[in-house]
Amino acid sequence: MTTATDVPVRRRGVLRAVLATARGRITAGFLLLLFACCLLAPVIAPADPLHQNLQEILRTPSGAHWLGTDSLGRDVLSRLLYGGRSSIVGILEGVAAQLVVAVPLGVATGYLGGRFDRFVMRLADIVMSVPVIVILLAILAIFDHSIAAAMITLGVLGASGMMRIIRGTAMTVRQELYVSAAELLGLSRTQIIFRHILPRCRGVIIVQTSLFAALAIGIQTGLTFLGLGPPPPAATWGGMVNEAATTLSTQPWLLAPSGGLIALTVLALGVLGDTVRDVTAQNHTSSGGLRVKPARRRPDVAQAPVPEGTALLSVRDLSVSFLTPRGEVEVLTGVGFDLDAGQTLGLVGESGSGKSVTARAVLGLLEANGAVTGGSVIFDGRDLTRATRRQLAALRGTRIALISQEPMVALDPSFRIGSQLSEIVRSHARLSREAARRRVLELMEMVELPDPEEMAKRYPFQISGGMAQRVAIAAALAGSPDLLIADEPTTALDVTVQADVLALLRRLQRETGMAVLLVTHDWGVVADICTHVAVMYAGQVVEQAPVEQVFGAPAHPYTAALMASSPEKAPRRTPIDAIAGAVPPPGAHPDGCRFRDRCALSAAECADDDIPLVRLNEERVSRCIRTELLQAQP
Amino acid sequence: MKGTATAEEAAELTVSDLVVDYPIGRRRHRRAVDGVSLSVPAGRAVGLVGESGSGKSSVAKAVLGMAPLSAGRITYGTTVLNDLRGPARPQDIQVVFQDPYSSLDPTKTIGYTLQEPLRAHCARTGRSLSAAARDELVRAMLAKVGLPAGTAERYPAQFSGGQRQRISIARALILQPRLLICDEAVSALDLSIQAQILNLLLELHLELGLSLLFITHDLSVVNHVAEDLVVMFRGRVMESGSAELVYRQPQHPYTRQLVMSAPMQDLEAQRARRERREALALPPARQAPLGEACPFAHRCPFAVDRCRSERPLLRSAPLGGQVACHLAGELPPWSDEHTQPREATGSTTSCP
Amino acid sequence: MGRLIFHRAAMSIPLLLIVSLIIFGLEAIVPGDAASTILGQNATPQSVAALRGQLGLNDPWVVRFGHWLGGALHGDLGTSIISGVDVTSSLNGRLAVTLSLLVPTILLSAVAGVALGFASAVRGGALGRFIDVVSLFGFALPSFWVALILVGFFAVHLNLLPATGYQDLAASPAGWLKSIILPVLALSLQGITYVAKQTRDTVMEVLETDYVKFLRANGVPERSVRYRHVLRNAAIPVVTSLGLVSVGMLSGAVFIENVFVLPGLGSLATQATLDHDIPVILGVGVFFTLCVIAINLLIDFAYGLLNPKVRVS
C-alpha cells in the first residue's frame, strides 16, 4: 500500500478544509461569536458591568440576570463580556509579538542554515529555559501592572518554541527535491522562501498560534486572578474567578461562568489547533493520517472446505479489505496459491498488486485498518484466519518466521544485537543465559556474520544494511521455522550484497528444508532463487506455475508484458516494450479482467465476467480466457 | 518551441579531479568523491553506475552546485561551474531526481510549477513572454512528455509516481537545457512504469540531441541507455569506457563482480552467473579504511600485496577504455555469453 | 554523554545572566524607580532623591548590575526594598515549600501520565477515547480554577482536607501530606494529561514500527514486546515532554501557591510584584532558573541512559 491513489480530490486551502470538518466549524464559530460579543459588549451587554445593586447580590441565573449576580450585585454576564475584551486584546498582543519574532527567524534559520542558524538556535535554547513566570512578574512590577507589556513579553519568550517548529518544517521542505529543482531553474532565495517554503509552513504556524493563544489565555487569566492586572472595579476573567473564590462557601455557582468560559475558550483554541494539524497532515500524505477501525470479516455464506491437498501452506480465496478515509477498499480478491516444504514461491507484482498484503495476511499481521474478509490460510492443516491471537503467537517464530524489506528498521534501535537475538532465542526455548549466548553465536556464524562476539555488542545503527539483514535472518531462523516469509528481503540492498544474501538464503534453505514465500518485484531474484512463481496483479493472482514454465512461456498476458518491460529484453537504446497505463488503484478495478485495459490480447468477452483461474496443467493456472493466443505467439 | 529560448550549441561537461568532502561533526569530514574525472560530450549519453556509498550522486550534486567542492574543476563548455550558485548558473544543465513524490510542490498546480522557471527566466533576461505564450509552452511540453493538456490545472497529489516523473521531466526541459542529469530517475518506479520513462528519456535524448548523464545503481538500466559507462566504487572511478565494452568485457574485478551479482531475468543465464560468482566468492570481510590502497582490495579475489599498499591509478586498459587496477590485463579472460549484445542473438523477445 | 551534561551545565551561566539582565535592563529603561515606589505618590522630590542616594540608585544601571552580580556570586542577592530583609535567607526559607509542591507533582505526572497513556495506547477503544477527552480538559481547565473547585469540594463541602496553609514536613509529616494533597492534585492535572497524551501518541507510533512487527512475527511474547521494546523506545519523547511540562509547572506553582496560601517562592514573588520589590523578584528568578537547570540536567541524564546513540558516541 505504498502508492497514492488517483482519486481526484482537489487540494483546498487550509481554512476551507478546516471549516469542512464539524470540529472546525464548531470551534471557529464559537471563537468568532465570543470575539464579536466581547467586541460589541457596550452594545449588547444587558447591564453596566460596574453597576452595583446590593439588593440583588449572589443571585443564581434568572431572566433578569442570565448568569446571576456577584457579591456586589453586578450582572455576571455583562462583566464576562467586558472582561473578555481585555483577554482578547491580551491574546492578540501576545500572538502578534510571537509571530513577528518566530516566523521570520524560523523560516530564515530553517532555510539558510549555517552559522546564523547555530547562533539563533543556541539563543533559543537558552530562552526556552527562562522561567517565563518570573520575567512576567518582573514586567508587571516594572510597568505598573500593564498586562499588555506582560503579554508582549510572553509572546517574545514563547516565540522560541514556535520558531523551532517552523525551522523544523522549513528544514524538511528545504530537503524536498522541488526546492533543489527551483534553485537549479534560477529562482532567487527570496522567491523560494515566499513561494515554496512559507506555504508549507502555513499549517504549523496556524497550529502553533492557536496553541499559544490557548496558553496566553491561561497566563492572562492567571495574572488577573492574582490581582496583577487592571485594578479592582474593572472586570477581568481572572479577577472574576478570584472574586468567586471569596464567596466559595456561600455561593459556589459564581465559579462556573468565569472558569467555564475560560475553559471553553482554551478548549476551542486547542481543538481548532488539532483540527488544523489533522487537516494539513491529510493534505500532504496519501494515507490521510487516519487511524481507522478494522473492517469486519464477511459472514461466510458457506464454510470453505479445507482442501484435501497436503501443501504446507495453502491460501484459498483470500480477500482482504482496508478501511480508508474514502471507505472500505478491497485490496485482495480471492487470492490463492500452494507452497510445499523445500519450495520457494516467488510472489511477484508491481506496487499495488497486493503481494506484501498477502504476506502479512498469512502472518496475521495486517495493519490496524485492514482485515481478512474472506477465504482461508491453511498452514499445516489449520486455518490461520480463524486462529486465536494466542494460537497465532505460538506459531510465530517457531513454525512461521518473517524477514522484511528494510533490515535497518527491522531491528530495535535501543538494544544490542546480541541481546535482541538472545531474547528471541529464549522466547523459543527455555535456555540459560549462557546457553542462549552460545546459541546466538552459533546463529550468527550460521548467517556468516564476521566476528560474531564483537558484532553481538553492537547496536543496529552501527552495522551496514547487509549485516543487518543477516542479523534479521538469524533472528528469523532462531526457532527453526518450517516457513519463512521474506518480504522484499533484498530490495533495499546493493546488488553485490543482494547476491550474498540470496546465496545465504539458498544455502540455509538447502540445509533446513524450510519453505520460503518470497515477495519481490524483481524477475532476476525470481530466476535466482524461486522454484515456483505466483504473479499478482491488482489484488489477484493471475498466474501460478513452476519457474521453468513461466520463464519458458508466460501463460498470462500480464506476465508476458511485465517480463518484456525489463530493459534487459530490448536491444540497447531502442524503445522497450512497455505496458501502457498504470496498475489501477484498489477499488477502481475494471469489471471482468482487471488487466484488460492494458492488454494487447483483450477482446469484448474479457469485460463480461470475473475471469476464473484456468488450469493449464497439473502445476499451472492462469487467469486468462485467451491464454492459448499467447501460447500460439512465437 | 522554436525561437523562444537561446538555442545555444550544446557543450561538453568536464569534471576533472573532483573531490567532495561532507562535514560530519565539527572538525571531521567524510570523503564522498575522491579524485573523479569524467566528461559528457555534447549529445552523448553517459552512464555513471555504482552502489550506495560509491559517490555517484555526489558527483551529480557537485555538477549541480549542490555539494561542497574540496578540489577539482567542473566546466561546461568554456564556463567554469565551480563557484556558480543559484541564478548565476547556466540553465543549460537540468536534473530529474529519484523521488517523484518530493520532486513537486504539493501546494502548487502543475501549471504553476512548469511556468515558474519561464517567469524566472524572463525576469533574468529582461525578455517578456505573454501569459498566453507561457500557457502554450506548458501545453506543448506536457504533450511532449505524454500527459494530457488538462494536467496543468491539477495538483501533484492527483498523479501517480510515473506521471509525476513525467512532470519532473517536463519541468527540467521547459528552459530547453542541453544536458539532463538523471539521478536515479527511474529507480523508484515499478518495472512497467520504468520502461515507459526510459523510453521517454531515450526519445528526448535521440530526438533533441540532449546530452544525458545517467546515474543509477542498476546495470541493466544504464546499459540500455548509455553509450559510455563510468563505474564508481567508494568515491573513485574503477573503470570507464564504451558501455558495450564495460558491460560485455569488464576488465576490473569490481565491475566483474557487479555484473555477476546483478540477477538476470533468465533461468539459464542466471544459473551461469551465480555459479561463476560463487566460484570467486570470498567470505564477507570488514571494509578496510580508504587510504593508499585499492578500495576494492578487501573484496577482490585477485588481490595481491601491492593492491593493499598502493593506490591503482586509472590507465588505458588492454581492450580499450580505462581501468584502475594493478592487475589489468593479467586477469583471467572474461566470457559471459549472456551479456553478449542482444542484437547478435536477437531471438529472446519479439519486438514489434 | 559527559559532554552533553557539561554543555548543559555550561549553558546555565548565560541563562542566569540573561534572566537577571532582562529584569535589570527593563527596570533601567522604564521611568520611575524603586524610591518613588516605596515612598508613594505623595512623596516630596527631596525625600525621593535622598532615598535614591541611600539605595545607590544614582549609579548607572550597569554599575548596579555589576554590584548585584558580584553579590549574587557570593550568595548575596541583596535586600528587599520593602522589608529590608536579606533576600537569600527569605528565599531559602521558602524553597522547601515550593519543592514540596513541585517534586510530588512532577513524580505524579510522570507515573500517572505514563501509565494512563501506555494503557490507553495498548488497549485502545474506550480507554483511549477517554484519555483523549480528559487530556483536552486537562489542557483547557485553568489550574487555579481547578484548585478552587477542589477546595470547594474537599475542604468546604466534605471538610476532609485543609483549604489553605502549609505544615512543615519535619514538624508534622501527616500535616505536610494533608496540606499538599490538594495543591499537588490541582497542579498535576495538566501534567498528567499532557504526559498521558504524549505517551499515548508515541506508543501508538512505536507499535506501528517495523521492528515491533518483526519482533512479533518472530515469536517474541507480546508482554516483552510491550514492556521491554515499546516502552523503552517510547521513553525518549515522553521524557522530553515531561521536561517541558515540568518547566511549565513553575508558572502553575505561582498560581497554586496563591490559591492555597502556601508560603513558597511563588506567593513571595506575587507579593513582591504587587510591592514593586525588584530585588525579591530577581532572587526568585535566580531560584527558579536553578530549578529549570536542575530539571534539564535530569532530563539529559535520562537521555543518556535511554538513548544508545548518545551513550555510545
Side-chain angles (χ1 to χ4, degrees), chain B residues 106-124:
Chain B
T107 67
K108 301 284 184 289
T109 61
I110 305 305
Y112 180 96
T113 297
L114 293 182
Q115 290 207 5
E116 191 172 46
L118 291 172
R119 278 202 295 264
H121 183 73
C122 291
R124 214 169 27 244

Side-chain angles (χ1 to χ4, degrees), chain A residues 263-529:
Chain A
L264 275 179
T265 312
V266 176
L267 195 64
L269 286 165
V271 172
L272 188 63
D274 273 357
T275 312
V276 174
R277 183 171 49 210
D278 292 352
V279 162
T280 45
Q282 254 178 60
N283 266 340
H284 298 305
T285 58
S286 51
S287 67
L290 217 75
R291 280 181 205 282
V292 267
K293 280 166 282 161
R296 284 277 173 72
R297 189 189 173 97
R298 202 187 297 137
D300 280 300
V301 182
Q303 189 83 357
V306 175
E308 55 273 30
T310 53
L312 176 69
L313 174 72
S314 163
V315 175
R316 285 284 166 273
D317 225 5
L318 183 67
S319 295
V320 168
S321 289
F322 280 82
L323 201 58
T324 74
R326 285 181 284 276
E328 192 172 318
V329 174
E330 189 169 82
V331 293
L332 289 188
T333 311
V335 166
F337 52 81
D338 287 323
L339 176 59
D340 259 325
Q343 290 182 343
T344 301
L345 175 69
L347 215 48
V348 186
E350 299 180 274
S351 27
S353 64
K355 55 191 191 302
S356 282
V357 176
T358 307
R360 271 173 291 166
V362 169
L363 273 168
L365 283 176
L366 289 170
E367 267 81 5
N369 61 335
V372 171
T373 51
S376 57
V377 174
I378 313 290
F379 176 74
D380 203 13
R382 229 188 318 169
D383 186 353
L384 300 188
T385 63
R386 284 159 209 285
T388 62
R389 197 182 279 245
R390 190 178 291 265
Q391 289 169 328
L392 273 178
L395 285 176
R396 291 186 192 133
T398 51
R399 306 291 317 273
I400 308 179
L402 169 86
I403 54 176
S404 52
Q405 179 169 1
E406 299 276 352
M408 298 303 280
V409 293
L411 303 175
D412 186 335
S414 299
F415 290 86
R416 293 178 199 274
I417 283 159
S419 122
Q420 292 191 51
L421 285 175
S422 161
E423 179 178 10
I424 290 178
V425 164
R426 293 180 76 180
S427 61
H428 296 320
R430 288 185 169 279
L431 290 178
S432 68
R433 233 166 242 285
E434 181 50 33
R437 198 185 71 89
R438 275 199 307 273
R439 172 83 175 123
V440 165
L441 292 181
E442 193 183 296
L443 281 168
M444 292 175 83
E445 264 157 36
M446 190 174 82
V447 297
E448 296 158 23
L449 277 164
D451 204 356
E453 295 261 6
E454 205 270 340
M455 194 63 96
K457 293 192 191 111
R458 296 192 172 204
Y459 285 98
F461 58 88
Q462 294 175 306
I463 64 174
S464 70
M467 294 297 160
Q469 194 61 294
R470 285 170 191 271
V471 174
I473 293 173
L477 296 188
S480 314
D482 304 304
L483 170 63
L484 177 68
I485 296 180
D487 186 1
E488 303 256 12
T490 56
T491 304
L493 305 176
D494 281 322
V495 276
T496 53
V497 182
Q498 162 172 293
D500 289 338
V501 170
L502 290 177
L504 173 69
L505 276 178
R506 184 178 312 102
R507 200 202 83 211
L508 293 172
Q509 188 180 18
R510 202 172 49 229
E511 289 169 8
T512 61
M514 65 184 172
V516 177
L517 177 62
L518 181 96
V519 176
T520 182
H521 65 277
D522 189 333
W523 283 111
V525 172
V526 175
D528 188 67
I529 198 170

Side-chain angles (χ1 to χ4, degrees), chain C residues 27-96:
Chain C
E27 192 199 5
I29 56 168
V30 171
D33 58 33
S36 37
T37 311
I38 295 167
L39 296 172
Q41 287 181 333
N42 302 328
T44 60
Q46 290 82 359
S47 57
V48 170
L51 189 60
R52 283 180 66 89
Q54 201 185 326
L55 291 172
L57 292 179
N58 289 327
D59 297 332
W61 74 272
V62 183
V63 174
R64 283 186 285 133
F65 182 59
H67 270 294
W68 180 85
L69 205 60
L73 286 177
H74 295 96
D76 173 14
L77 294 169
T79 53
S80 160
I81 59 170
I82 301 296
S83 62
V85 176
D86 176 44
V87 171
T88 312
S89 58
S90 67
L91 290 179
N92 278 338
R94 286 166 170 262
L95 181 62

Side-chain angles (χ1 to χ4, degrees), chain A residues 122-123 125-126 128-131 133-135 137-145 211 214 218-219 221-223 225-228 241 245 248-249 255-256 259-260 262-263 266-267 270-271 274 291 363 365 367-368 396-397 400-404 406 409-415 419 423-424 427-428 459 461-462 472 475-476, chain C residues 7-8 11 14-15 18-19 22-23 26-27 30 136-137 139-142 144-145 148-149 151-152 156 197 201 204-205 208 210-211 213-221 224-226 228-229 232-233 244 247 250-251 254-255 258-259 266 269-270 272-274 276-278 281 284-285 288-289 292 296 306 308-309 311-312:
Chain A
R122 188 63 55 84
L123 199 67
D125 267 351
I126 295 176
M128 287 275 269
S129 300
V130 167
I133 189 72
V134 180
I135 304 286
L137 291 178
I139 295 281
L140 288 168
I142 294 164
F143 289 90
D144 201 25
H145 298 190
L211 291 181
I219 297 281
T221 53
L223 293 175
F225 170 76
L226 295 181
L228 300 173
V241 176
L248 185 58
S249 46
L255 268 180
I262 297 171
V266 176
L267 195 64
V271 172
D274 273 357
R291 280 181 205 282
L363 273 168
L365 283 176
E367 267 81 5
R396 291 186 192 133
I400 308 179
L402 169 86
I403 54 176
S404 52
E406 299 276 352
V409 293
L411 303 175
D412 186 335
S414 299
F415 290 86
S419 122
E423 179 178 10
I424 290 178
S427 61
H428 296 320
Y459 285 98
F461 58 88
Q462 294 175 306
Chain C
H7 180 78
R8 183 70 87 171
M11 239 174 59
L15 179 60
I18 282 187
V19 170
I22 292 175
I23 299 176
L26 283 173
E27 192 199 5
V30 171
L136 265 181
F137 280 97
F139 165 78
L141 298 177
F144 55 90
W145 188 73
L148 287 172
I149 300 283
V151 168
V156 177
K197 178 99 175 105
D201 289 353
M204 285 177 70
E205 233 166 71
E208 291 289 312
D210 280 23
Y211 56 83
K213 285 185 196 143
F214 182 79
L215 290 166
R216 280 184 179 160
N218 289 306
V220 172
S224 169
V225 169
R226 286 180 184 175
R228 219 166 112 87
H229 297 275
R232 173 68 174 274
N233 282 286
L244 280 176
V247 171
L250 291 174
S251 306
V254 172
F255 303 136
N258 278 289
V259 173
T270 310
T273 305
L274 290 166
H276 300 264
D277 194 347
I278 298 294
I281 298 179
V284 176
F288 271 19
T289 307
V292 174
N296 284 341
L306 291 170
K309 280 187 193 168
R311 197 165 53 218
V312 167

